[in-house]
Structures are given as structure tokens and as C-alpha cells.
Amino acid sequence: LPIQARSERDIFAGEKRSDLHVVPAFAVETTPDIVVVSTTAAGNPSKDVRVTVTNHSKGAAKATVALQVPDGWRATPATQAVSFSREDEQMTVRFALQPPAAAALAAAALKPGGNQYSVRASVSVNGQTYAQGYQVVEYPHTTRRHVLVEPTIAVKALDVSVAPNLTVGYIMGVGDEVPAALEQLGVKLSMITADELAWGDLSHYNVIMTGVRAYERRNDLRAYNQRLLDYANAGGTVIVQYNKFEFNEAQYGPYPGKVGRERVTDENAEMKVLDPGHPVFNGPNKIGRADWANWVQERGLYFFDEQGRDPNYKDLIEFTEPFAYNQGTKRGALVEARVGKGRWLYMGLGLWRQLPAGTDGAYRLMANLLSLK
């Protein structure tokens, strides 16, 4: 029978009950979710992998943490010891994950599924091995649930290159996993704070990117948006990921233009490049049809509206949506405007969804966007 615990009555929400769940005695969690290595780089650097262990046993404990890696890969150190003094204590350890040479990765990638690997973490205590973690799912209108998950990191070996020594400033919005993906490409990433956006020196960034729906969440971004336009005018690249209609409350782009309702819901919708000679499709990675395959869930949403848009904005791609209730040609997924010496781009294209899913072409296209000059 389910066993329930009853919380103290809240005068607003009333009584709350939760099922009793049994979690692992030692719960294991890994970060990042995905690691990307290059099959063309002269030498792949090691990747930082972190393992967090939570002690749910009753009292002190000592454990050994290890990574199970594919053949030819190496984790340094091989194991790490952790000690706990009490229940519910956590310890995090770091490993350096070293891939094989790029040539070996490239040869393996020629086989079906040969560019996908996995790294699994485990913890050993008194001869017993634990290799499960959990995610807590709870909202005000639901009971709490503990979803057991395996502490596994997905690894992708991709033919991807990015311009060297790139520094990217990121303005986080409602929350997304793009920053972790950018770091996997090898760029130096910094989160732009409200103070830095207001009065800091932005010129040392090669690219500034706004996170998903940042104009909805960030009052400072709306207030100091002109600083981004000045940065682009001086030669920088600004990439604005999709926003909703808060973006339309003022002219945040360099020229008149608004976010619309267009989207492409079919992840396999046909794509057409409107400017094949544009550098975003040609370097450092040559973007072809294969880069638009195996997308997940959708192509993108909240595209930049064609209606009433200033002619300085230029569409770089278009989609043909096959979904019966949204059929037709759709533009506004990737739009560029030249601003002084630099660039300003709006991206309704859903790379924010594709990167955490490990979509190969999304990493190659993002690398090109970051590498624009």
C-alpha cells in the first residue's frame, strides 16, 4: 500500500500529502549532460566531468567514485575517494575525460552510430556498487515524485570546428542549456551581469548572445539594449535567440521589426538556404543537407515577422511547413542585419532545443554563427 506523509496545514494551500519513496542509499549525478569532441581537431583537450554523490545512509560513510569510459578513452584520476560525516551530505569530484586521437574518432564515426558514446558514473561502498540518481518532480498542484535516472553522460564525436580563441558573452533569459553547449565547442564563455551590461567594457567579447526570451525576463537588457547595438556598430556580433511579444514593446533591433507568430512544427520540414555564399553556411564548417537531418520536436518558433520589417533585415533561410494546420513557406527563422562594422542576428531557429539533444548539425551551425566576423 502507498505510504503517505502529511505536511503541516498551510492556511493558503491547505494540507499537502506526499508518497513515501525509496531512493538509492548513495545517489549519483553527473554533469554535463552531453560532451562534444571534434573528429578534425589537431588535438582534443580533455573534458571536465563532475560527479556528485549524495549520502542517504544513516550516518558516516566512505565511498569510491569511478567512471566507466569507452575503449580508447581515459579518465583521470581513475578513481576518487569521498567521505561523508552524516546523512544527506553531498560531495562532488571532478575527472578529466580524455578522448582518443581525432583520427581514431573520425574512423569510428564512419560506422552507423559510431560517433556516439556514453560515460557512466558509479560509487562503491563496502563492496556494493550504486549507479543511480534521481530527479525530484514537484509542483504546487501535484504530489512529489522521485524519478530514478542513470548517471550517464552522452558523448558525441562530431566533424565540427570553431574559430580559435573566441570569447562569448551570454545574457541569460528564462533559462536554457545553450551556455553548456557553447563551452563544449571550446569557446571562453562569460555570463554578462546586470552591472556589466550597464557600464562594463563589452568590446572584449567576439560575440554577445541573448538567451531564450531574455527580453521578457531581463529588465536590465531592455533598459540598456542600446549598449548591444553600439557594440554591434563597433564591429561585434549580436545573436538574439527567440523572444515572445515583449520584444515588440520597443525597437530593440537595430531597425524596425517585430517578433511574429510563425513557427515550423515539423522537425523534418524542408529547408532552403537563401544566400548560399553567406559565411554562416561556409565556414569553418560547410553546412549541407545532412546538418538539417535528425532534428527533434520542431524547427523553431516565434520567427521574426516579415510584415512591416525594415529592408535592412535579410532572411538567410526559409522552411516549407508540411503540417496541415500550418502549411506554407516560412521565413524569419534566421535573420541578419548589418550594423555599422558588425552584425545583429535574430534566431527563431530552435538551436536552444537541438543542442541539449545532441543534434549534430546544430553544433556545426552554432559554431559558424559564433565564428562570424
Side-chain angles (χ1 to χ4, degrees), residues 119-316:
V119 172
R120 183 180 175 89
S122 64
V123 58
S124 299
V125 182
N126 297 327
Q128 186 169 355
T129 299
Y130 299 86
Q132 277 190 318
Y134 60 88
Q135 178 183 2
V136 179
V137 180
E138 183 178 19
Y139 297 94
H141 63 286
T142 67
T143 57
R144 183 183 303 130
R145 290 288 183 268
H146 293 72
V147 181
L148 294 176
V149 294
E150 294 187 356
T152 301
I153 298 170
V155 182
K156 299 293 289 284
L158 304 179
D159 179 7
V160 59
S161 300
V162 69
N165 304 317
L166 282 182
T167 301
V168 179
Y170 201 87
I171 302 174
M172 182 61 82
V174 297
D176 57 68
E177 298 179 64
V178 172
L182 301 188
E183 290 181 316
Q184 288 301 319
L185 287 171
V187 305
K188 182 180 179 182
L189 184 77
S190 296
M191 292 294 179
I192 296 180
T193 64
D195 283 347
E196 185 179 11
L197 186 58
W199 49 262
D201 179 14
L202 303 178
S203 64
H204 67 280
Y205 293 115
N206 300 106
V207 182
I208 294 178
M209 181 178 293
T210 67
V212 168
R213 291 161 56 183
Y215 284 87
E216 171 189 337
R217 181 58 58 89
R218 296 283 294 263
N219 293 332
D220 58 317
L221 175 58
R222 296 194 298 271
Y224 295 104
N225 181 74
Q226 185 60 43
R227 296 254 295 151
L228 294 190
L229 302 182
D230 293 342
Y231 163 83
N233 191 67
T237 296
V238 175
I239 301 174
V240 175
Q241 295 188 81
Y242 97 87
N243 285 272
K244 298 178 75 174
F245 305 121
E246 292 81 6
F247 185 86
N248 299 340
E249 294 175 358
Q251 184 182 313
Y252 294 118
Y255 310 104
K258 293 185 176 182
V259 171
R261 297 183 181 276
E262 290 287 14
R263 61 182 64 204
V264 175
T265 59
D266 190 320
E267 64 269 29
N268 299 309
E270 185 65 26
M271 189 280 311
K272 179 181 178 181
V273 173
L274 299 177
D275 184 2
H278 194 282
V280 78
F281 304 117
N282 292 281
N285 306 287
K286 183 70 173 179
I287 302 299
R289 290 186 63 85
D291 293 300
W292 302 96
N294 302 315
W295 283 44
V296 298
Q297 188 163 335
E298 61 192 356
R299 290 294 197 185
L301 71 172
Y302 292 103
F303 291 175
F304 210 57
D305 203 340
E306 286 188 88
Q307 301 298 320
R309 180 202 299 176
D310 189 280
N312 282 294
Y313 291 112
K314 177 181 178 181
D315 280 289
L316 300 182

Side-chain angles (χ1 to χ4, degrees), residues 264 266 268-272 318-323 327-330:
V264 175
D266 190 320
N268 299 309
E270 185 65 26
M271 189 280 311
K272 179 181 178 181
E318 72 175 24
F319 290 106
T320 301
E321 167 73 272
F323 180 51
Q327 283 184 339
T329 299
K330 312 291 182 182

Side-chain angles (χ1 to χ4, degrees), residues 15 24 48 104 241:
E15 182 181 274
D48 183 61
Q241 295 188 81

